[in-house]
Amino acid sequence: MRTLITLLFLGASVPLFSQVYTPPAAPTQPPAQQLPTDAGPAQKPKDPSSPLGQEIPMLDPSAETVTVGGVTIPLGDNRLLKARFEKYLNQPPESDAEAKAYRETIAEILQTISPLRNGKSPNLKEAFSKLPRAASYPGDANICYTLAEAVYSALLAKKDNKQLKDLNESIETEKKAIIREADWAARNERDSSLGNTRPTGTPQGGGQGGAQGGGTNAPARSQGAGANSLKYKDTLRRITEIEALKKQNIVLTEAQTIRTKTQYQVNMIQWFGQRRYEHVVMASRFYNQIWKDGDTTLRIDKNSDVSKLFSESIGISPTVSSLDSFSNEAIREVDKYIEAFNHLLAQNELHSASQRLMEAYALGEYLAPVATLSLEKKRRVALYVRDLHELYGALQARDYVRGKTLSDQLKSAAKDFPSSKVDSLISGYTLASDLAIEDAKAHLLARNSEKAEEKITKAAQIWPTNPKLQEFRTLVNNSGAIVTARNDFDRLLSEGNYREIAKRQYEFAPAIQGDATREDAFKQIMQNLIAIEAALGKAVEFSRIGQNYSAWEQLADIREQFPDDPKLGRELELLAPKVADFTLALDKARQFESRNPKQTGSALTWFLKARSIYPQSAQAEKGIQRLLDDILPES
């Protein structure tokens, strides 16, 4: 069996005719039989259930992270983030008087507690007193109240530490007094029998009484006095107890300080993770005013995600200062994102603008530039994002008609919409499905039902909603459509409406299969139209680069071969005003050349003028050569 669809891709050279189709002089024998050729795509889609993969650029932060100052911050559940972003795009801005007063209060707190406060020292008490006012705003979520409690708890803990320090100082005073008293007693305390003597040696000669012996007398001392007294031992014990109590109080002070700092830092880390950067900055400044010991290291587990967040990103241990720095950097980045968003939106570059707004929202949804963005701007992005998501869904469902409509809408709405992949994907899959359907029709007409079923199944897998599937169903139910197609082909052929035949080529090719005369006419029409379209394509390229003379001459040459093609004539008419001087010179030259007698000099003058206008003109060059051959014939 043969399929005429393969004739569309024949590259064999054929003679050119004076019109698109030249009827044969006599009936011709049908050409030799050929094996059927698959006109579908060279490769079957790897996964018909998912032809897209992830080819379409989507407003979808797949990594679910955002990087600020070298630190990668996780955003959490991506689906939740997208839902919150869509909610944000459809809610009014926080620009009422209450919201404005809240942001002014936050700015006042930051200024009051700032170390760079216009020649004044930071005022912890004044800044602390403003926190309840800020906490009254619903959008604050009572975080300022939590910060006030943390500051208050830290100050109470610091007060307890002061009391323990005072207690240690009083204990130290008591210890010193006890030591002084014990030292004096050890040096000066004596027995009450001070001055009495007792023998200290043994008499020689053996008698008692000591007067006659050789012994000596010494002052008498008691075992219960001086350094040997029980009181002195009790004093030493009391000094030991005092030292132990002091060390216990010091340990309690340090433990209380570490515990309070840790509790305070937990709040800071939590607010940083929630992207409440202004609260982190306020907490950092309060921290530096409460504890002035220079210890700002965050007391968190080295194996925790927060610790890894900093250590793996920038290679250092996290500190209160680093949280403050990253929060300030995030605030600045959000300002830059919104600035870029406004610029892109003004340029109607909605695709990039929506991505910048998504990044700004993901990084700092509670900051003023994001919260106060006008609803009108957000709605433009919301409509674009909605269509973008619908396009993605339509392509995954392989509804290419709806996908093409949405793609056109997005291209008209956003001049930076990346449509290349969408358009090429739609074109490729729709063409593959259409060719598979045409093959199925050919196999059906050839009574090869198995091949027809295979091709139509392939077409349905590639494009389930292809309108031509209904045409195939109709063809199956009503084979009389073939007769209608042949009659239409004959009518269009007799009318000379060759371009309509080319437009309906996939309908006519199976219908005229097996009819040698019709096949030859169809082949000739398609080959000549391909040649015309190739010339039109070259002319378009020449016009695009400003070579209108080359474009006109390209079409004029092909027009001599196909003078009855309407599209070719239209294109020449459109180019005529742009090359009027050139065509006038050629017409004048041909008029003088065709006169009887021939006006060779005048004709040569006008051909030379035409060549001066367009030096690469092949028609002018041919005319000049013809006239030179007349003037100087070869011997």
Side-chain angles (χ1 to χ4, degrees):
M1 292 297 299
R2 293 172 299 157
T3 172
L4 291 183
I5 299 177
T6 56
L7 297 176
L8 305 180
F9 306 99
L10 288 178
S13 60
V14 294
L16 297 178
F17 301 91
S18 61
Q19 56 182 10
V20 176
Y21 169 61
T22 303
T28 58
Q29 295 297 325
Q33 297 286 332
Q34 296 179 356
L35 294 176
T37 310
D38 189 0
Q43 293 183 350
K44 183 178 179 180
K46 295 182 180 178
D47 184 6
S49 64
S50 179
L52 274 180
Q54 296 296 329
E55 297 172 345
I56 309 303
M58 295 294 297
L59 189 63
D60 185 354
S62 57
E64 301 179 11
T65 60
V66 63
T67 301
V68 180
V71 176
T72 303
I73 303 172
L75 299 178
D77 187 357
N78 190 36
R79 291 172 298 175
L80 178 62
L81 176 64
K82 287 168 63 178
R84 291 180 63 180
F85 182 60
E86 291 179 1
K87 179 193 72 173
Y88 160 75
L89 292 176
N90 292 281
Q91 66 186 22
E94 298 179 10
S95 55
D96 55 7
E98 190 178 4
K100 184 177 180 181
Y102 168 72
R103 286 189 287 272
E104 289 176 351
T105 302
I106 295 295
E108 289 175 6
I109 294 172
L110 289 170
Q111 179 62 26
T112 304
I113 202 68
S114 172
L116 305 175
R117 186 190 173 198
N118 295 333
K120 299 179 181 179
S121 299
N123 192 328
L124 187 147
K125 182 179 180 181
E126 182 181 349
F128 179 81
S129 66
K130 297 178 186 293
L131 288 174
R133 192 204 316 170
S136 64
Y137 178 64
D140 184 76
N142 279 328
I143 295 180
C144 280
Y145 185 77
T146 304
L147 175 58
E149 287 188 338
V151 172
Y152 182 70
S153 299
L155 292 174
L156 286 180
K158 192 174 181 181
K159 184 177 180 181
D160 289 344
N161 292 341
K162 178 67 168 57
Q163 292 175 348
L164 287 172
K165 182 179 179 181
D166 294 342
L167 179 59
N168 276 353
E169 290 178 355
S170 64
I171 291 174
E172 180 67 17
T173 301
E174 179 188 355
K175 185 188 77 171
K176 290 179 179 179
I178 292 173
I179 290 175
R180 286 196 300 271
E181 183 180 349
D183 285 345
W184 185 90
R187 289 194 302 268
N188 301 301
E189 194 175 63
R190 296 289 185 273
D191 196 282
S192 57
S193 60
L194 185 63
N196 295 338
T197 61
R198 60 178 178 79
T200 60
T202 303
Q204 297 180 2
Q208 295 181 359
Q212 299 177 358
T216 61
N217 295 327
R221 289 183 178 273
S222 170
Q223 293 295 326
N228 296 320
S229 67
L230 294 176
K231 180 181 178 182
Y232 187 81
K233 290 181 173 28
D234 185 64
T235 299
L236 294 179
R237 180 183 59 78
R238 176 59 182 162
I239 291 172
T240 303
E241 290 176 351
I242 289 173
E243 286 294 328
L245 184 60
K246 279 181 59 181
K247 291 180 179 180
Q248 181 181 357
N249 288 340
I250 291 173
V251 171
L252 286 174
T253 301
E254 293 178 351
Q256 177 76 347
T257 300
I258 292 173
R259 183 167 58 253
T260 306
K261 285 184 176 181
T262 302
Q263 292 172 350
Y264 193 97
Q265 292 169 0
V266 165
N267 287 326
M268 293 183 66
I269 294 171
Q270 180 179 350
W271 297 332
F272 185 77
Q274 293 173 345
R275 294 162 289 152
R276 296 276 188 172
Y277 304 116
E278 291 175 326
H279 294 82
V280 174
V281 175
M282 286 191 292
S284 172
R285 294 181 181 179
F286 277 115
Y287 184 98
N288 293 329
Q289 294 303 314
I290 296 171
W291 293 287
K292 299 182 180 181
D293 53 4
D295 179 20
T296 61
T297 302
L298 294 180
R299 291 170 172 81
I300 53 179
D301 188 354
K302 292 182 179 180
N303 296 321
S304 67
D305 293 337
V306 177
S307 179
K308 292 177 180 179
L309 189 68
F310 288 89
S311 60
E312 294 181 1
S313 299
I314 56 178
I316 61 173
S317 299
T319 63
V320 172
S321 298
S322 60
L323 280 181
D324 182 283
S325 174
F326 293 138
S327 297
N328 281 307
E329 179 67 17
I331 293 171
R332 177 185 174 277
E333 284 297 313
V334 169
D335 287 337
K336 293 298 182 182
Y337 277 133
I338 295 299
E339 187 178 315
F341 163 77
N342 287 323
H343 175 72
L344 291 169
L345 196 65
Q347 302 298 320
N348 202 32
E349 297 180 8
L350 264 175
H351 187 77
S352 298
S354 60
Q355 290 180 325
R356 299 296 80 76
L357 183 58
M358 177 68 160
E359 292 161 353
Y361 176 81
L363 181 59
E365 65 176 289
Y366 304 109
L367 296 176
V370 177
T372 59
L373 197 65
S374 69
L375 182 60
E376 180 185 359
K377 293 180 178 179
K378 292 193 292 186
R379 282 295 297 165
R380 287 184 63 187
V381 174
L383 295 175
Y384 176 80
V385 171
R386 183 195 64 189
D387 288 346
L388 194 64
H389 289 166
E390 187 177 353
L391 170 64
Y392 183 72
L395 293 178
Q396 284 199 329
R398 288 166 286 167
D399 185 356
Y400 301 124
V401 173
R402 179 60 179 162
K404 180 62 176 175
T405 302
L406 289 169
S407 177
D408 292 341
Q409 290 178 4
L410 290 169
K411 280 189 285 188
S412 63
K415 68 180 183 181
D416 65 330
F417 172 65
S419 61
S420 299
K421 289 185 178 180
V422 179
D423 292 342
S424 63
L425 181 145
I426 292 174
S427 298
Y429 284 160
T430 53
L431 177 61
S433 179
D434 288 345
L435 291 177
I437 291 174
E438 298 305 328
D439 271 1
K441 289 180 180 179
H443 290 306
L444 184 65
L445 294 173
R447 303 181 185 277
N448 190 341
S449 58
E450 292 184 0
K451 282 285 186 180
E453 180 182 0
E454 177 185 343
K455 291 296 181 180
I456 204 66
T457 301
K458 176 182 178 181
Q461 287 178 339
I462 297 173
W463 185 8
T465 58
N466 191 341
K468 291 187 178 181
L469 291 173
Q470 182 61 37
E471 295 179 11
F472 183 81
R473 185 180 291 111
T474 304
L475 178 64
V476 172
N477 296 332
N478 185 14
S479 59
I482 301 297
V483 177
T484 302
R486 287 183 177 180
N487 292 336
D488 287 346
F489 178 85
D490 292 339
R491 176 177 56 81
L492 294 172
L493 190 63
S494 63
E495 294 172 354
N497 194 348
Y498 307 122
R499 287 198 171 272
E500 183 64 21
I501 292 175
K503 183 178 178 181
R504 297 172 60 182
Q505 57 184 284
Y506 297 110
E507 177 185 351
F508 291 143
I512 64 174
Q513 187 174 5
D515 188 318
T517 302
R518 290 188 178 97
E519 286 179 4
D520 183 72
F522 181 84
K523 176 181 177 181
Q524 188 182 142
I525 290 168
M526 294 308 302
Q527 288 175 336
N528 289 338
L529 284 176
I530 288 172
I532 293 173
E533 289 298 326
L536 288 171
K538 291 180 181 178
V540 169
E541 287 300 313
F542 282 132
S543 295
R544 187 177 62 82
I545 61 176
Q547 298 291 335
N548 293 319
Y549 296 111
S550 298
W552 183 88
E553 195 163 82
Q554 178 76 27
L555 296 182
D557 289 339
I558 199 77
R559 181 63 183 274
E560 293 177 2
Q561 302 165 10
F562 307 108
D564 59 340
D565 185 70
K567 186 175 180 181
L568 191 58
R570 260 193 325 271
E571 293 298 325
L572 279 169
E573 289 175 3
L574 292 174
L575 280 172
K578 302 176 182 178
V579 296
D581 55 344
F582 176 65
T583 57
L584 178 62
L586 286 178
D587 289 339
K588 288 280 189 182
R590 287 165 181 164
Q591 288 175 12
F592 285 116
E593 185 180 13
S594 61
R595 285 184 181 181
N596 189 14
K598 184 184 298 185
Q599 302 292 317
T600 305
S602 299
L604 183 60
T605 300
W606 282 103
F607 274 126
L608 290 172
K609 180 176 179 58
R611 190 173 67 175
S612 68
I613 296 172
Y614 175 43
Q616 288 80 30
S617 172
Q619 293 191 14
E621 187 63 29
K622 289 178 182 177
I624 292 170
Q625 290 301 324
R626 284 197 307 272
L627 295 174
L628 289 177
D629 289 340
D630 290 342
I631 298 170
L632 301 171
E634 293 181 1
S635 57

